[in-house]
Amino acid sequence: MKKWYRKLHWQIIIGLILGLFWGLFASMAGLTDFTTGYIRPVGTIFIDLLKLIAVPLVLASLVVGVASLNDMTRLSKMGGKTIAIYMVTTTFAITIGLTVVNVMQPGGTLPVETRTALMESYGETVDGREDTVEALQERSPLEFFVDIVPENFIEAASDNANMLQIVFIAILLGIGLVKIPAQKGEPLIHLFESLNDVIIKIVDLIMKTAPYGVFALMAAVIVDLTGDDLGQALILLRALGWYCLAVLIGLLLHVLIVYSSLFKIFSKMKLRDFFKAIRPAILLGFSTSSSLATLPVTMEKVEKNLGVNEEVSSFVLPVGATINMDGTSLYQAIAAVFIAQALGMDLTIAQQLTIVLTATAASIGAAGVPGAGIIMLVIVLQAVQVPIEGIALILGVDRILDMARTAVNVTGDAAVSVAVAHTEGLLGDLHFDDED
Ligand code: ASP
């Protein structure tokens, strides 16, 4: 048995805590430039390594998964089921968010002077985000499907944000492999199988450096937040503390209620065991604020520890990392109502229902990268006629909430993969890795 502090998840937690303290110390001791110049790059390299293997991993594991299906109706059944469960969990997330924000009323506690000051300091940053969303809104809804079909393989594989295109290519390749004589397809299948194994090994190697990467990422986040003035950051946190608490409570309730019900309905898994099995992935989601960067580790833990068959995980997880964002949608609901409350606007029931629809769309549209959720929040605000300048109010603390909501996004994808695997008869035994 390994000593507790040698286990990966404890090392990551220790890295996070040390990073937090370093960040605070650096901002008090005037070491922010040093932290940005010499510590942040370690975190950036760590995230880049994870991103580097995401495309080959999804491609290899999904091709192998699809090629092993001899019945294609299974693939479409699994696809339909996955999307349906994703939509249901997202709707619950938004409903929980709306309930929490209406009960806690965090917008009512924001003093008018703080509101004015926040609008002044962050107002300009908001403008750029508005343009991005405007461009998105001018597109037809069918563009979403057009975007999934790439016109060029290299181009699709050149940007991790195109993950759905990679999923599409992998499914096509897998189907092609099933349709040709087994003998002819074998070499290619072996190639992908071997690529898959190699990449899983590389994930292990990268994860050995996770504690350092996480330390650096956390230190950089804190330094960004505080700059050279810790006092200012504390004032901001105090003013927005109630709002942050509302988001955190909402996220916690969602995990406890929705995922444990999901397990009760679809599998016999206990929430505690589930967390134990995938904690490195959740911690990584928290430290990187990116579901896409976390994807390789989520896949590894879901397969190895939760016993989800690769056929399921290689489809459900990459799709989830792109479109299923329970944490983000819950946060968007709370943020939209908070801004309305802070600006003295009362939202009607009809407007709150509009939030359910638009936050679902906005979370699907949000990429699994840091800060995507707040950009898409513009769509939700516009739909309920709340001035988007109000985003300035919450921008200062968004990075911290991004970490928490990403951890929930990752958790949600893993939970749904368990549900889908169980209903497909493809859920094996739980396995707790001594290293984790
Ligand atoms: N950072 C989140 C994710 O990667 C998206 C968001 O900003 O809410 O899942």
Side-chain angles (χ1 to χ4, degrees):
M1 189 78 177
K2 268 200 165 186
K3 292 235 166 47
W4 67 270
Y5 56 84
R6 314 232 14 188
K7 293 196 173 187
L8 183 62
H9 78 280
W10 278 114
Q11 295 212 339
I12 295 181
I13 291 175
I14 294 169
L16 272 173
I17 296 173
L18 290 180
L20 170 79
F21 280 116
W22 174 270
L24 293 174
F25 168 72
S27 76
M28 285 188 290
L31 289 173
T32 47
D33 285 346
F34 173 79
T35 307
T36 310
Y38 293 93
I39 294 186
R40 185 198 299 271
V42 176
T44 311
I45 291 175
F46 174 64
I47 295 202
D48 285 350
L49 281 172
L50 286 169
K51 289 187 188 158
L52 174 68
I53 51 173
V55 168
L57 174 63
V58 170
L59 190 65
S61 63
L62 192 51
V63 170
V64 173
V66 176
S68 67
L69 295 172
N70 27 33
D71 173 12
M72 283 303 143
T73 50
R74 181 154 184 186
L75 183 65
S76 54
K77 225 179 81 202
M78 191 166 81
K81 201 185 297 176
T82 305
I83 307 285
I85 305 181
Y86 277 156
M87 290 302 119
V88 172
T89 55
T90 301
T91 312
F92 274 112
I94 300 171
T95 312
I96 291 176
L98 287 175
T99 312
V100 170
V101 73
N102 281 302
V103 171
M104 286 180 67
Q105 299 276 341
T109 60
L110 196 69
V112 179
E113 315 83 70
T114 320
R115 193 171 81 197
T116 323
L118 284 171
M119 296 288 260
E120 267 169 21
S121 50
Y122 289 103
E124 271 174 30
T125 328
V126 176
D127 291 345
R129 290 162 204 249
E130 192 185 349
D131 296 343
T132 320
V133 170
E134 248 169 40
L136 269 175
Q137 279 175 331
E138 277 163 19
R139 294 151 37 107
S140 135
L142 287 186
E143 289 283 330
F144 177 76
F145 298 101
V146 175
D147 284 349
I148 293 179
V149 185
E151 60 176 48
N152 181 295
F153 172 71
I154 307 284
E155 212 179 297
S158 70
D159 183 353
N160 285 3
N162 295 339
M163 200 51 86
L164 289 182
Q165 298 191 343
I166 297 297
V167 168
F168 182 83
I169 293 171
I171 292 178
L172 265 190
L173 260 173
I175 294 177
L177 279 169
V178 173
K179 301 274 179 210
I180 60 174
Q183 248 177 336
K184 288 206 164 163
E186 235 162 56
L188 195 56
I189 295 181
H190 283 319
L191 178 79
F192 279 116
E193 274 171 352
S194 140
L195 180 65
N196 200 15
D197 289 348
V198 170
I199 292 172
I200 289 172
K201 190 61 316 75
I202 296 178
V203 176
D204 270 345
L205 295 177
I206 297 175
M207 282 307 276
K208 289 204 191 311
T209 68
Y212 307 99
V214 162
F215 165 81
L217 289 170
M218 190 67 186
V221 167
I222 298 295
V223 164
D224 282 346
L225 192 75
T226 57
D228 272 327
D229 189 356
L230 188 57
Q232 208 44 45
L234 290 179
I235 293 173
L236 185 68
L237 275 180
R238 201 171 317 134
L240 294 173
W242 205 230
Y243 156 71
C244 293
L245 197 67
V247 175
L248 297 178
I249 290 178
L251 292 174
L252 190 69
L253 287 177
H254 177 72
V255 170
L256 294 180
I257 300 172
V258 178
Y259 300 146
S260 59
S261 315
L262 193 71
F263 292 150
K264 282 224 172 72
I265 299 169
F266 290 108
S267 77
K268 296 282 159 285
M269 190 162 302
K270 291 203 185 69
L271 202 57
R272 242 182 79 207
D273 289 340
F274 169 76
F275 278 123
K276 202 168 157 198
I278 60 154
R279 56 197 168 193
I282 298 178
L283 286 170
L284 209 60
F286 182 79
S287 6
T288 59
S289 289
S290 169
S291 320
L292 278 178
T294 313
L295 182 61
V297 180
T298 319
M299 285 177 80
E300 194 207 0
K301 298 300 162 206
V302 161
E303 285 161 21
K304 262 205 204 157
N305 297 359
L306 289 176
V308 172
N309 190 292
E310 200 178 3
E311 258 174 51
V312 174
S313 60
S314 62
F315 172 74
V316 176
L317 294 174
V319 171
T322 326
I323 68 164
N324 179 53
M325 306 212 170
D326 293 353
T328 300
S329 60
L330 183 148
Y331 143 84
Q332 285 170 334
I334 295 188
V337 180
F338 168 78
I339 293 172
Q341 288 170 352
L343 298 179
M345 300 167 66
D346 251 342
L347 294 182
T348 60
I349 297 285
Q351 278 173 311
Q352 305 226 12
L353 283 177
T354 310
I355 292 183
V356 177
L357 289 181
T358 46
T360 305
S363 68
I364 292 175
V369 297
I374 199 165
I375 298 179
M376 300 306 277
L377 179 62
V378 173
I379 294 186
V380 184
L381 292 178
Q382 284 181 337
V384 287
Q385 279 122 32
V386 171
I388 59 158
E389 291 71 24
I391 287 185
L393 298 176
I394 55 168
L395 211 52
V397 289
D398 196 64
R399 192 65 177 81
I400 298 187
L401 297 180
D402 196 1
M403 298 168 82
R405 65 184 188 246
T406 308
V408 174
N409 291 344
V410 170
T411 309
D413 300 340
V416 173
S417 75
V418 170
V420 174
H422 188 264
T423 56
E424 292 287 319
L426 290 171
L427 185 63
D429 292 332
L430 267 173
H431 166 82
F432 298 117
D433 195 338
D434 203 29
E435 300 281 316
D436 288 343

